[in-house]
Amino acid sequence: RITTGFLWGIGDVVAQVVPALFDDDEHDANKKKSEFGYDAPRTARAVIFGSFLHAPLSHLHFNFLEFMTVKGGFQPGSLKIPLFKTVMEQFVYWSWFSNSLYHGAMGAMQGMDAGQIQKRVKDVLWDTQVAQWKFWLPIQFLNFQFVPVRHQLNVVLLTSVVWTALLSAWYPPEDDHQAEEEAEKEA
């Protein structure tokens, strides 16, 4: 739990700091360089999620995948094992559950009510899934093929630092000024 929470916290720090390092407003003389404001409560939410939800559930998930593989009678060393595990994880149950849980838990920890959380999950789940498949399908296939079961979650946790940073780059938060400009264009 401690390792998972720590790595989720590192992932959130990376997601906040890296975009600020590359914030380039120098091309517009009328704009002042935006000031970076580190959001410590956001990192705390990531650590809490990683420690108390993601860690125990991921442990169960990886054990369940291994159980299904053994019960399915797959031969060790067969490419069917990583293919089966990857499909089960990404398309059947885990990614849908874990992404919904993440967005829901973050919403709850931010003080959203049930209706707001449901809307949040509905609004972002499909885009999160598509991004996850692009990133995680090859990683998990290789992870399931070459990494012993007892270390597979560690690979995921370390890779999640990169995943969090990529999500931040793919889906940067909108600032108020940008949202106003887009609303004016649509009007």
Side-chain angles (χ1 to χ4, degrees):
R1 285 185 179 196
I2 293 171
T3 302
T4 305
F6 176 77
L7 290 172
W8 272 83
I10 293 294
D12 184 72
V13 169
V14 168
Q16 290 189 58
V17 172
V18 170
L21 294 175
F22 296 101
D23 186 15
D24 184 21
D25 289 338
E26 294 174 13
H27 64 277
D28 189 345
N30 296 329
K31 278 187 172 181
K32 291 183 181 177
K33 183 88 170 159
S34 60
E35 290 193 26
F36 172 68
Y38 177 72
D39 187 354
R42 175 180 146 172
T43 301
R45 288 189 296 270
V47 169
I48 290 167
F49 178 81
S51 296
F52 298 104
L53 292 173
H54 190 266
L57 293 174
S58 292
H59 179 74
L60 290 173
H61 160 65
F62 279 91
N63 285 335
F64 182 62
L65 278 179
E66 187 61 18
F67 170 80
M68 288 192 307
T69 302
V70 170
K71 287 294 184 189
F74 294 103
Q75 297 300 316
S78 165
L79 282 178
K80 291 179 182 179
I81 292 174
L83 183 61
F84 172 77
K85 286 182 173 183
T86 302
V87 168
M88 290 301 293
E89 178 183 79
Q90 294 297 315
F91 297 107
V92 177
Y93 78 97
W94 179 249
S95 68
W96 295 98
F97 170 75
S98 64
N99 286 329
S100 297
L101 180 65
Y102 172 77
H103 290 299
M106 290 299 138
M109 286 188 277
Q110 291 170 341
M112 293 180 179
D113 64 32
Q116 292 169 316
I117 292 169
Q118 183 179 13
K119 182 180 179 343
R120 175 185 176 145
V121 171
K122 182 181 175 188
D123 289 348
V124 300
L125 184 59
W126 181 251
D127 289 339
T128 304
Q129 285 297 124
V130 171
Q132 175 161 324
W133 294 329
K134 290 175 183 177
F135 182 80
W136 285 107
L137 281 170
I139 290 169
Q140 285 298 73
F141 184 83
L142 294 172
N143 187 22
F144 294 139
Q145 177 64 24
F146 298 111
V147 178
V149 173
R150 68 183 178 277
H151 299 302
Q152 289 173 357
L153 181 55
N154 294 329
V155 169
V156 169
L157 292 174
L158 290 171
T159 310
S160 289
V161 174
V162 176
W163 169 243
T164 302
L166 285 173
L167 278 179
S168 179
W170 290 337
Y171 304 109
E174 264 188 10
D175 61 22
D176 293 336
H177 180 68
Q178 182 182 3
E180 288 172 11
E181 286 177 356
E182 288 179 13
E184 286 175 11
K185 287 179 186 175
E186 291 176 6

